[in-house]
Amino acid sequence: MKVVSVLTAVAMICSLFLFAPPILAHHSFAAEFDANKCRDFTGTLTKLDWQSPHAYFYLDIKNEAGKVENWSFQTYALITLRRNGTDRQLFIENMGKEVWVRGCLAKNGKERYAAAGTLKFSDGVLHQVGQLQD
Amino acid sequence: MKLHLRYSLVWAVVAWMLIVSGNAQNTAQNTEYTIKVLPPGGPPPRLADGHPDLSGHWFPNGAGQGTSGRFGVDPAAVSTFDPKVTPEERPVFQPWALAKIQSMTPTELELSKSSVNCMPRGVPAIWLQNPYTTLMVHKPDMLVQLYEVLNNWRVIHLDGRPLPKYPEPLFHGNSTARWEGDTLVVESVGFDDRTYIMPNGWFHSDELRVTERYRRPSMNYLMVEVTVEDPKVLEKPWKSAPRRWTLGNGDVYEFYCTNNKELEELQKLRELELKPGK
């Protein structure tokens, strides 16, 4: 009986730490992407995959050796993009044009794949298109 | 003399810190946010039977519009409650339940989230861990909840029908409703065991019982309070803070989860976690 009480007390104390604020993490950026590996990307927009839960866009980016590589970037949910004014048409109108992105690499080591945080199309307007925790 | 100089230096540093601190506060106070807290508005609309009409397009924040990924948002408008004003108690788990939650790896925890695996959030998570809007259509005999997330929906009958004796496990549970003054009280049992109360591993048992309390104290505010009873998992019932949803307009958007690549990406990460030496 005493053992049970002690276990319960320990569980109660642990609960306090486990569920310390902020209690909510809707969708953990840190689980999938590395906030220590964020950088700027500039490339040409080649493709848009506009489906839920996340949009993906693709850029042709020159690497340090001058070779062009195609990168994919994950964004917020489509609903969030629509509500902040970054709608599908913006991407369509900028297809083939230069895009600047601040993004963070995937933790699983997948090559040429990142989470997009902020983005500028050729008009220079800053858009928040995903979490950016660097 | 040297001591005097040292005191002078200390006072100079303190004075400088006070000035900087004051400037920072002034800057914060002078910030002009473009997305602000929605005022309460006038009295709530009422149905012909006199009860508050809960109909509306409800946003899970204080702004009555989207706040995620937007600039110029007043921090006070971002959440459904301020823990400094209405602190929310923490769930107290039974030891076995806490051990089960703590045994999850970060990737397992992530994979369990409905925001990642595209499973319905279910009740009560739809009111506790949902960043998308809910359109409610309220008739005297039913409350229809149209959840933007995953295009889910729920019908709550208001005819006082009893809870089923042998409830089928459902994502939104089996519900009965009654009015207590201007508060609509909805009690539900029988939940699909793939739902989580919160996206932090808080699972439930087949004895989960959820009570939702809905109030519309004014035109623009919907208050939702949730009580979770689960004697197999919790040491005692848990009660949420009153969560304030705000009335907005604009479209309810389509959200069919047809291109979920996160499961694949996280599975790769899970394989890395399980590699020897990790």
Side-chain angles (χ1 to χ4, degrees), chain B residues 230-248:
Chain B
D230 195 352
K232 283 186 181 171
V233 170
L234 297 176
E235 291 285 353
K236 59 175 188 169
W238 174 84
K239 191 177 174 185
S240 78
R243 310 282 183 116
R244 183 185 63 187
W245 290 53
T246 48
L247 187 67

Side-chain angles (χ1 to χ4, degrees), chain A residues 70-128:
Chain A
N70 194 243
W71 282 71
S72 61
F73 295 86
Q74 188 199 74
T75 71
Y76 278 137
L78 302 194
I79 289 176
T80 305
L81 294 181
R82 285 176 178 131
R83 289 218 163 97
N84 78 6
T86 315
D87 59 20
R88 177 177 175 270
Q89 190 58 26
L90 262 179
F91 286 92
I92 300 298
E93 288 169 0
N94 282 282
M95 205 58 71
K97 297 180 184 173
E98 189 174 275
V99 174
W100 171 89
V101 179
R102 178 78 182 166
C104 306
L105 303 184
K107 275 186 172 174
N108 67 7
K110 183 176 178 179
E111 292 184 341
R112 298 181 294 283
Y113 174 57
T118 44
L119 172 153
K120 286 181 190 174
F121 293 114
S122 52
D123 62 3
V125 175
L126 189 68
H127 294 264
Q128 185 89 38

Side-chain angles (χ1 to χ4, degrees), chain B residues 166-242:
Chain B
Y166 303 105
E168 185 181 338
L170 303 174
F171 281 94
H172 299 135
N174 303 262
S175 304
T176 183
R178 65 180 185 278
W179 286 98
E180 290 181 359
D182 279 351
T183 302
L184 180 66
V185 181
V186 181
E187 291 192 60
S188 306
V189 295
F191 293 94
D192 191 293
D193 61 11
R194 289 167 291 181
T195 62
Y196 286 78
I197 310 298
M198 292 269 198
N200 49 14
W202 182 358
F203 64 96
H204 65 82
S205 77
D206 56 358
E207 290 190 15
L208 172 64
R209 186 183 189 95
V210 175
T211 304
E212 299 150 271
R213 293 176 185 275
Y214 296 92
R215 289 184 294 117
R216 187 171 188 172
S218 66
M219 172 58 82
N220 293 337
Y221 292 171
L222 172 74
M223 306 301 294
V224 185
E225 275 181 83
V226 170
T227 302
V228 174
E229 295 167 85
D230 195 352
K232 283 186 181 171
V233 170
L234 297 176
E235 291 285 353
K236 59 175 188 169
W238 174 84
K239 191 177 174 185
S240 78

Side-chain angles (χ1 to χ4, degrees), chain B:
Chain B
M1 189 66 181
K2 279 185 179 175
L3 192 64
H4 180 74
L5 184 63
R6 195 176 297 167
Y7 279 131
S8 299
L9 270 173
V10 168
W11 279 114
V13 169
V14 169
W16 177 78
M17 287 173 73
L18 285 171
I19 290 166
V20 169
S21 162
N23 283 342
Q25 282 179 359
N26 286 337
T27 305
Q29 285 165 0
N30 292 335
T31 302
E32 187 58 39
Y33 298 112
T34 51
I35 299 174
K36 301 173 183 176
V37 175
L38 187 70
R46 290 184 182 272
L47 296 173
D49 63 9
H51 290 122
D53 183 350
L54 304 179
S55 301
H57 185 191
W58 299 105
F59 282 71
N61 58 47
Q65 57 182 304
T67 56
S68 295
R70 300 183 71 182
F71 301 114
V73 181
D74 182 347
V78 171
S79 302
T80 52
F81 74 103
D82 180 351
K84 288 177 189 161
V85 179
T86 51
E88 188 166 84
E89 62 181 286
R90 292 164 188 165
V92 181
F93 294 95
Q94 296 192 12
W96 76 270
L98 187 62
K100 183 176 172 180
I101 293 169
Q102 288 179 327
S103 71
M104 296 174 86
T105 68
T107 306
E108 284 172 342
L109 180 63
E110 198 65 9
L111 285 165
S112 75
K113 295 179 182 179
S114 57
S115 59
V116 169
N117 60 33
C118 281
M119 296 289 279
R121 273 174 174 64
V123 169
I126 199 76
W127 295 110
L128 302 174
Q129 60 163 75
N130 175 12
Y132 305 106
T133 70
T134 294
L135 183 70
M136 297 223 290
V137 181
H138 190 176
K139 302 285 184 187
D141 61 344
M142 71 169 67
L143 177 65
V144 180
Q145 300 181 342
L146 303 168
Y147 311 121
E148 191 172 51
V149 62
L150 302 177
N151 283 32
N152 290 170
W153 54 267
R154 175 188 180 198
V155 175
I156 301 169
H157 296 285
L158 307 179
D159 56 4
R161 66 184 61 184
L163 288 169
K165 193 174 178 185
Y166 303 105
E168 185 181 338
L170 303 174
F171 281 94
H172 299 135
N174 303 262
S175 304
T176 183
R178 65 180 185 278
W179 286 98
E180 290 181 359
D182 279 351
T183 302
L184 180 66
V185 181
V186 181
E187 291 192 60
S188 306
V189 295
F191 293 94
D192 191 293
D193 61 11
R194 289 167 291 181
T195 62
Y196 286 78
I197 310 298
M198 292 269 198
N200 49 14
W202 182 358
F203 64 96
H204 65 82
S205 77
D206 56 358
E207 290 190 15
L208 172 64
R209 186 183 189 95
V210 175
T211 304
E212 299 150 271
R213 293 176 185 275
Y214 296 92
R215 289 184 294 117
R216 187 171 188 172
S218 66
M219 172 58 82
N220 293 337
Y221 292 171
L222 172 74
M223 306 301 294
V224 185
E225 275 181 83
V226 170
T227 302
V228 174
E229 295 167 85
D230 195 352
K232 283 186 181 171
V233 170
L234 297 176
E235 291 285 353
K236 59 175 188 169
W238 174 84
K239 191 177 174 185
S240 78
R243 310 282 183 116
R244 183 185 63 187
W245 290 53
T246 48
L247 187 67
N249 47 35
D251 288 332
V252 179
Y253 291 116
E254 179 178 290
F255 189 155
Y256 288 108
C257 187
T258 53
N259 189 37
N260 190 2
K261 296 181 178 177
E262 281 176 301
L263 285 180
E264 185 188 330
E265 300 301 335
L266 286 163
Q267 288 294 0
K268 283 181 203 161
L269 200 57
R270 178 85 187 102
E271 286 163 21
L272 291 175
E273 271 181 354
L274 293 173
K275 269 189 178 175
K278 286 279 174 181

